[in-house]
Amino acid sequence: VFDSMVSAVEKWGRLWGDEKTPLPPWDSASPASALVTALSALRMGAAGDLAPLANQEAQDALRVVLTQEKVRAVELGCGSGEASVFMAKCGLEVTAVDLIPAALERARQAAVREGVEVQWVCGDAFEFTAGEFDFMFDLQCWHVLREVDEPRVVAKMGELLRPGGVVLMLVGSDEEERDNLGPPKVAESAIRAAFAPGGPFEILSIAASVFDVSAVYGKDPPKCWVVVLRRV
């Protein structure tokens, strides 16, 4: 938990450093495979099995949103931008937010290399107010922000998405037994409590999975939850 946004910038800034610094532990240098599978199957017409990621209700909700001609997408905590750049390559109109200038500089360079446009926003996700979006992707951001102020981050997500909008979110799992590996560990029950009925979201699916291989995680990455939410 951060005492202030200044301490947050200092912590995450040290992890990012500059272009010569190795990527942070969670960064696989590629867009998350869950996002690639979903967009490739639903947006690009490629073969892909969504069953390991989401139940049928969640798949249908993703299909409704991601097959629209115009899809406005947002990513909070975009880091070096692999996911946001991939979404742009798939034809989504993407806005990506991160607190760390060094991370966004890498992201901008990635977008230039791939020849796509993304609206990059450097700032505090809690203060970001550019809704309404159709789709939100979250890779290891929510489970950090919830330790700062869980009700506030859930409300912010609701503020940013239109009714019917969908969130695809990868969250650290408490089923991961290795203490020295991976992000904050969250119980499925805690996710269900955070997005309980009466709030801005309904939970469509929570599936057990693993994060992608990365330089730090190695070939046996930590366990995660793949969560699909719909804005009510």
Side-chain angles (χ1 to χ4, degrees), residues 83-181:
S84 288
V85 168
F86 181 74
M87 288 191 285
K89 289 176 67 176
C90 292
L92 280 62
E93 296 182 7
V94 184
T95 300
V97 184
D98 204 280
L99 189 63
I100 307 303
L104 284 177
E105 182 54 33
R106 292 195 190 200
R108 290 188 183 96
Q109 292 174 9
V112 170
R113 286 195 302 270
E114 296 295 334
V116 296
E117 292 187 6
V118 175
Q119 182 179 353
W120 305 107
V121 178
C122 186
D124 181 353
F126 285 111
E127 303 299 330
F128 179 61
T129 58
E132 294 178 322
F133 294 93
D134 305 295
F135 178 68
M136 175 183 290
F137 179 67
D138 183 311
L139 174 63
Q140 300 202 38
C141 184
W142 177 78
H143 64 207
V144 173
L145 295 182
R146 71 181 286 267
E147 295 186 347
V148 180
D149 190 334
E150 182 176 277
R152 188 179 175 198
V153 69
V154 171
K156 173 57 64 176
M157 292 167 65
E159 175 187 319
L160 292 175
L161 281 183
R162 65 164 177 81
V166 175
V167 180
L168 176 61
M169 183 167 72
L170 275 64
V171 178
S173 171
D174 67 333
E175 294 186 350
E176 175 55 58
E177 297 179 349
R178 293 167 290 182
D179 292 333
N180 62 340
L181 184 69

